Amino acid sequence: MTDHRAVHQFHSGTAVGDAITNQMFQLQRLLHELGFESEIFAEHIAPGLQDRIRSIHGYRGSESELLLLHHSMGYEAFDDVIGLPNDIVAVYHNVTPEHYFESDVIRHHIRLGREQLMALAYRALVGIADSNFNRREMLAAGFRRVEVLPVRVDFSEFADHSGGPDRRSNDWLYVGRIIGNKCQHDLVTAFALYRKTFDQEARLLLIGDTSSTDYVAVVRAEAERLGVADHVSRGGSPW
């Protein structure tokens, strides 16, 4: 591996407020602080992000530039990206199992993402996983060396310095789609035990997409069964 004058990042998709997109911005800031040149590239750039993200199709690559390739779903530009002359480090965010989706298009890209992960195992220098679960999947796909680097997000801009109401209880917050593979029903079970054992005033706030209505009903039923439905809110609203 050569010394790199730049460390760039790529992910096929982007969106305002998206977790992976935000992580790329955070990593870019840290890389700039360390003195590296650092650009973010994507195949699909969401409106409002064109001034911060460049199209991968205009990038020719360089042996002197390291590319952090974020992987979470199959995409069409994969062969072009791994064909660049850059050294590559794979950053894996998991590919959700296809049985959680009904769309044939989504299921196709999930299968493609699994195949591409195995190809990436032989192209990348090393792998980075954001959890031990993902590390195990990378090793099973053929990666020889994988390190775990949990996602870090700076929430300082949301700090409340207004001296608002003093809540002495410890609230729980989950942000993400409410869907079966995320297992929020287990989170409700753990919360109920915490509330019974430590803090009867605690609240659980579930913030995220609720289009998987069947699973939302499962989570609600679990909260009702355990007697904590009044202390669990969905999207900022009670059940």
Side-chain angles (χ1 to χ4, degrees):
M1 184 171 64
T2 61
D3 292 332
H4 300 101
R5 63 178 177 83
V7 181
H8 302 312
Q9 298 180 82
F10 167 81
H11 187 240
S12 176
T14 59
V16 176
D18 169 68
I20 297 177
T21 303
N22 283 346
Q23 185 186 14
M24 289 195 295
F25 287 145
Q26 180 81 347
L27 287 174
Q28 183 186 47
R29 181 182 66 80
L30 294 173
L31 288 165
H32 284 161
E33 291 177 357
L34 291 171
F36 289 99
E37 297 178 29
S38 184
E39 299 283 354
I40 297 175
F41 297 93
E43 186 178 15
H44 306 288
I45 303 174
L49 297 177
Q50 294 91 339
D51 61 334
R52 303 185 66 183
I53 298 175
R54 296 172 54 186
S55 171
I56 192 64
H57 299 296
Y59 177 59
R60 296 184 180 276
S62 170
E63 292 181 355
S64 66
E65 299 177 350
L66 181 67
L67 184 64
L68 304 181
L69 194 161
H70 296 260
H71 190 72
S72 66
M73 181 72 83
Y75 54 96
E76 306 305 325
F78 180 81
D79 290 340
D80 293 334
V81 176
I82 66 170
L84 292 169
N86 306 59
D87 284 332
I88 288 177
V89 171
V91 185
Y92 184 49
H93 301 272
N94 198 267
V95 177
T96 303
E98 64 177 283
H99 64 264
Y100 288 104
F101 299 92
E102 297 181 359
S103 166
D104 289 337
V105 174
I106 294 177
R107 291 165 73 98
H108 163 73
H109 283 92
I110 287 173
R111 290 192 294 271
L112 186 61
R114 294 285 178 181
E115 295 170 3
Q116 290 172 348
L117 181 65
M118 291 187 287
L120 192 55
Y122 295 95
R123 174 63 175 87
L125 295 172
V126 295
I128 296 175
D130 50 22
S131 69
N132 281 313
F133 181 90
N134 288 347
R135 179 178 183 271
R136 291 192 293 270
E137 285 203 351
M138 295 183 82
L139 292 173
F143 284 85
R144 294 174 297 280
R145 179 183 172 189
V146 181
E147 302 293 339
V148 176
L149 179 65
V151 175
R152 288 174 170 79
V153 181
D154 182 3
F155 292 104
S156 59
E157 65 178 292
F158 303 105
D160 182 5
H161 303 292
S162 63
D166 178 22
R167 274 191 57 82
R168 297 183 181 276
S169 63
N170 295 301
D171 292 339
W172 291 29
L173 172 66
Y174 178 90
V175 180
R177 287 181 300 140
I178 302 178
I179 191 169
N181 65 294
K182 304 291 187 180
C183 295
Q184 286 94 348
H185 65 283
D186 286 339
L187 180 61
V188 169
T189 303
F191 169 73
L193 179 61
Y194 172 83
R195 187 172 176 273
K196 178 180 179 180
T197 306
F198 298 105
D199 185 357
Q200 295 186 0
E201 298 302 318
R203 302 175 302 180
L204 170 61
L205 293 82
L206 303 174
I207 309 297
D209 179 78
T210 57
S211 58
S212 180
T213 54
D214 289 345
Y215 184 68
V216 169
V218 170
V219 177
R220 181 174 61 247
E222 181 69 357
E224 292 173 349
R225 183 182 74 83
L226 295 170
V228 296
D230 290 342
H231 295 268
V232 178
S233 66
R234 173 177 56 87
S237 303
W239 294 106

